[in-house]
């Protein structure tokens, strides 16, 4: 006999499918059965991005108990530092919540676009029950492929500390996005963002970089190669200029030691790349002095050093414009942030 009632409502059925079982346990019971402290389960739950629950609320399943046990085993084996346990949980929660939100919207859009399906709760439940294992397989595949790529890099560059490696950091943002967002409807705005994300992620992947995050109208990426980072920025700029569906973009690149922490990047190099982007004119790419020195050795690029510019955090920032060799040289007014004339190279 099935443990699930025949008259089970759709919300309860979906919840059972998605949670991998029915809610049976309180937080205190999870801690007891998993063999961990109550404070630790509370910290992990909040770090994952879920609201606090009362000690007597029955909200957890067998899967929750097993997840806590797995985490505890990872700590015991030394793979996961106990001091970083909460930080890791927070990073996983942030990334997975965004993925879950998007997939939920995708699912309900599918249901809304199919009136016959929307009126049949039995079919909706069957659809979710059928699709969930497929989504899990895709998640697992993509995760393993990315893990293999990063593991390969670690083995190829054993002298580098992965948490603080030398990389190029790049920002590319759409010019005039804020004004455009006020003029167009939601469908047009969604299409614009989709096109920009498609271009950005495509060029970054093609040149072996990594998208750190999309920030509305802007992409933040890192790349271990100066030349490949230059190609990402220039290709995006060129494509945006030729594509009527997206506005022009501007970019800033800086090279140096970068702290990578739970998928995000930090440090002065990140700040410098951001400042350069804010200085760049539409359709241009600005690079810092260190990166300009490296790229100047390649015959494929033209670098033009500009007059030092004071910006927040940098009193004498001297950027350089990056162009492909042989492209038309712009005027001094167009070439320099704020319209100032460039100094001699």
């Amino acid at each position: 006999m099935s443990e699930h009632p025949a008259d089970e409502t759709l919300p309860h059925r979906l919840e059972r499918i998605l949670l991998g079982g029915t809610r049976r346990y309180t937080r205190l019971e999870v801690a007891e059965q998993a063999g961990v402290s109550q404070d630790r389960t509370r910290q992990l739950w909040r770090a994952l991005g879920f609201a606090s629950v009362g000690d007597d609320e029955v909200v957890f399943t067998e899967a929750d108990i097993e997840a806590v046990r797995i985490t505890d085993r990872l700590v015991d084996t030394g793979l996961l530092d106990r001091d970083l346990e909460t930080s890791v949980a927070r990073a996983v929660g942030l990334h997975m919540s965004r993925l879950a939100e998007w997939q939920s919207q995708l699912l309900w859009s599918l249901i809304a676009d199919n009136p016959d399906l929307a009126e049949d709760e039995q079919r909706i439940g069957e659809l979710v029950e059928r699709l969930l294992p497929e989504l899990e397989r895709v998640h697992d595949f993509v995760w393993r492929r990315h893990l293999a790529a990063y593991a390969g890099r670690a083995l190829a560059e054993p002298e580098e500390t992965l948490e603080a490696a030398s990389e190029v950091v790049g920002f590319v943002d759409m010019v005039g996005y804020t004004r455009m967002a006020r003029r167009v409807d939601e469908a047009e705005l969604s299409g614009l963002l989709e096109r920009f994300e498609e271009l950005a992620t495509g060029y970054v992947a093609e040149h072996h970089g990594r998208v750190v995050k999309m920030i509305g109208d802007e992409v933040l990426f890192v790349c271990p190669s100066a030349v490949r980072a230059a190609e990402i920025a220039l290709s995006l700029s060129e494509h945006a200029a030729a594509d009527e569906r997206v506005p022009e973009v501007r970019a800033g690149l800086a090279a140096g030691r970068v702290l990578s922490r739970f998928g995000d990047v930090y440090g002065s190099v990140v700040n410098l790349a951001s400042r350069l982007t804010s200085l760049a004119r539409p359709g241009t790419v600005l690079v810092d002095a260190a990166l300009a020195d490296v790229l100047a050795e390649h015959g494929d690029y033209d670098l033009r050093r500009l007059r030092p510019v004071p910006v927040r955090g940098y009193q004498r920032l001297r950027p350089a414009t990056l162009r492909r060799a042989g492209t038309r040289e712009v005027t001094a007014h167009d070439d320099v942030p704020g319209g100032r004339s460039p100094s001699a190279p």
Side-chain angles (χ1 to χ4, degrees), residues 5-27:
D7 59 348
E8 184 180 32
T9 64
L10 178 61
H12 282 96
R13 184 180 181 189
L14 292 180
E15 179 182 272
R16 173 176 53 78
I17 295 170
L18 296 173
L19 294 182
T22 56
R23 299 176 186 259
R24 299 175 181 273
Y25 306 100
T26 66
R27 183 181 61 80

Side-chain angles (χ1 to χ4, degrees), residues 40 44 71-72 75 80-89:
R40 190 171 165 204
L44 288 173
T71 302
D72 195 44
V75 172
L80 180 62
D81 192 309
R82 176 65 63 87
D83 294 337
L84 295 178
E85 180 182 61
T86 303
S87 298
V88 171

Side-chain angles (χ1 to χ4, degrees), residues 87 90-92 94-95 98 150 153 162-165 167 169-171 210-215 218-222 257-267 270-271:
S87 298
R90 187 180 302 111
V92 171
L94 285 171
H95 290 292
R98 292 185 62 189
Y150 287 111
R153 177 185 168 188
L162 293 183
E163 292 81 6
E167 292 190 289
V169 176
F171 284 90
R210 175 175 72 87
V211 172
V212 177
K213 54 189 170 184
M214 303 293 303
I215 315 170
E218 185 174 57
V219 59
L220 165 60
F221 69 90
V222 293
R257 301 286 289 180
V258 179
L259 172 64
S260 295
R261 187 173 185 273
F262 304 118
D264 211 336
V265 290
Y266 305 87
V270 181
N271 296 334

